[in-house]
Amino acid sequence: MNFLEVSERFTEMSNTSKRLELTDILVRLLKSADKDLKKLVYLTQGKLLPDYEGLELGMANKLIIKALSSISGKKEEEIDVMFTKEGDLGTVAKLISEKKTQNSLFTSELSVDYVYDELTKLARIKGEGSIKNKMGIYQDLLLNATPDEGMYITRIITGRLRLGVSDATILDALVLAFADKKYSDEIDEAYNFHPDLGELAELLREGKLDRVLSTGPTPMVPAKVMLGERLREIPDVLEKMGGKAAFEYKYDGLRTQIHIKDGKVKIFSRGSEETTSNFPDIVEHARQTFNVESCILDGEAVPYNSETGELYPFQMVSQRRGRKYDLKSKVEEIPVVVFLFDIIYLNGEPLNKMPYLERRKMLESLFTENDDFKCATMLLSSDVEEINRFFTEAINSGCEGLMAKNVSEDSIYRAGARGWLWIKFKRDYQSSFEDTLDLVIIGAFGGHGRRKGTYGALLMATYNKDQDVFESICKLGTGFTDDVLFGLPARLSDFVTKKKPARVESGLVPDVWFDPQAVLEIIGAEITISPVHSCAYGKVQKEAGLAIRFPRFTGRWRDDKTPEDATTTEEILEMYYSQKKVG
Ligand code: ATP
């Protein structure tokens, strides 16, 4: 397949502001691929391989500017000025190529295979002379590219392709292009255990649906984590769980998925990011504790005081993430204990279809508890009084509340799903608002008076998982310190778009639209009916949506969450109904 065709489809995708049209274009693009479908899918994701493979393109902006300067004969400073004006090196590459094409003698057609293979070469270059070689590959690609192709190649290299499609959108399009829609839930589940869209695309195109449907947890490949719904009354939890449940302490730490295979250990975060290098201590302790050929464990890493055993707040572990330099002192200063609550794979056998209590039994018999690994404290009960006492104990031990787990025969491990098999019950729920929410920034309104020069308010959205769109729910203008407030335009500048992104639904038109990327934690007073917001539009009342009254930023940017991990429209609906019930 020619890369030119891909670049034409990419332009159509960037130009549409309608979600369905976006999928249609994507389906057409995927269908026109052949053996190169896998590579096409990765390029559409703006990647070369799934994230967990750790292959990064890694060409700094400075290097791109140097390469563009040498192609165009313009000074680096001039390119820098163009970059500041356009805000995107892809556009700069396009402008330069447009000039160049007028007097170039020869361009050969680029294929998807060729572009992908050259970019892979570029990504793998290491060692001496790597800068020169990387620049050489990039310049060769540009010299043979049309201006638009050059723009997309540059955007892929700089990690800014931003076509407005998420993995969920691509997955949806793959099902429409190559499978029967009735399998979409099962295909989704397979993807959640093995999040490799390129591989999945190839299997579907080749008609190997059986292979897809039998995909389960795989050691060294991060499974999307299972998530819980929320309720605020124990009797409601018990009712949902069929009268009885396993209640576990809900630890306030970092979700930690531990993979072991043939003596090798890998650690993944809640967002499937590999964090092995941040936790050399957990790696070492896991080797000592688990005598297995292979396994996948799910748990929460919590910092603690090694003298008193007291648990510390989660912020202390988060200091470890992304740290390269003084990690060693942090490891000694902040030891962590991992409270394990699940096992989904053991010695060649997937366990995800086993009921929860059987998995828990396997987990308990797998190791002897020590300072580094423990099983989450658990109570199997149907007695409200007893559960309430257990809840108080959890809070007194430094936990956030309880996590109730379904114990029926159907209590499988559902990767990537937020469902009623797990229900969280937190201390915050006893305040007026049930919980903090994680909302996505989709727009902003210009500031006036004291806020001149920054934004007066942000337009926030929930994620509607069924429709794969972001729906506006409130304007957020309080809870910001001056530093954060005046830093907003710079912090969000990368996400500014010229018009409403296709996957955004909003009744309000802000002064600036953003690509839905940044996630903020907010707290509010109440969920109310709103004539202007799009969240759950028409679900509670005709021609009205839902909004949050008095939203306030808690100060926490949820950089660990993708926009698709934000609070969903469905959760807001549930919160609205449960608030009504109590109120
Ligand atoms: P979520 O992860 O549900 O999107 P969140 O990141 O805001 O939301 P919480 O609402 O606090 O987190 O609750 C879920 C998290 O609680 C899990 O992702 C996990 O990290 C943590 N957790 C702590 N103890 C347990 C437990 N016993 N079982 C399951 N999860 C637990």
Side-chain angles (χ1 to χ4, degrees), residues 227-228 248-251 254-255 270 300 341 376 400 403 405 418 422 424 426 435 438 558 561 565:
L227 298 166
E248 290 174 354
Y249 280 11
K250 183 175 182 314
Y251 300 93
L254 277 189
R255 186 77 175 255
R270 180 193 187 287
E300 188 86 351
F341 46 77
E400 287 181 301
M403 208 44 166
K405 310 235 163 137
R418 189 186 292 286
W422 288 10
K424 48 192 181 188
K426 291 205 234 176
D435 195 3
D438 300 318
R558 293 300 306 252
K561 288 201 167 183
D565 288 327

Side-chain angles (χ1 to χ4, degrees), residues 109-128:
E109 279 180 359
L110 295 175
S111 66
V112 167
D113 267 327
Y114 183 76
V115 171
Y116 180 89
D117 293 347
E118 287 302 291
L119 291 180
T120 305
K121 242 193 260 171
L122 189 152
R124 293 199 192 277
I125 292 176
K126 288 215 167 66
E128 219 179 296

Side-chain angles (χ1 to χ4, degrees), residues 35-98:
K35 284 202 297 294
D36 47 10
L37 176 66
K38 190 170 180 172
K39 294 176 180 176
L40 171 69
V41 168
Y42 294 140
L43 291 177
T44 307
Q45 289 181 285
K47 297 176 182 170
L48 296 172
L49 283 176
D51 287 341
Y52 58 84
E53 296 283 355
L55 182 63
E56 281 182 23
L57 271 153
M59 223 173 128
N61 286 352
K62 248 178 133 174
L63 217 54
I64 303 267
I65 291 174
K66 222 182 181 89
L68 292 174
S69 150
S70 116
I71 289 180
S72 62
K74 286 181 191 290
K75 286 199 188 115
E76 284 178 40
E77 294 76 38
E78 284 177 75
I79 310 273
D80 222 4
V81 171
M82 289 173 82
F83 178 30
T84 310
K85 178 163 173 250
E86 301 297 334
D88 159 44
L89 281 171
T91 312
V92 176
K94 175 176 166 158
L95 293 172
I96 285 173
S97 302
E98 276 167 351

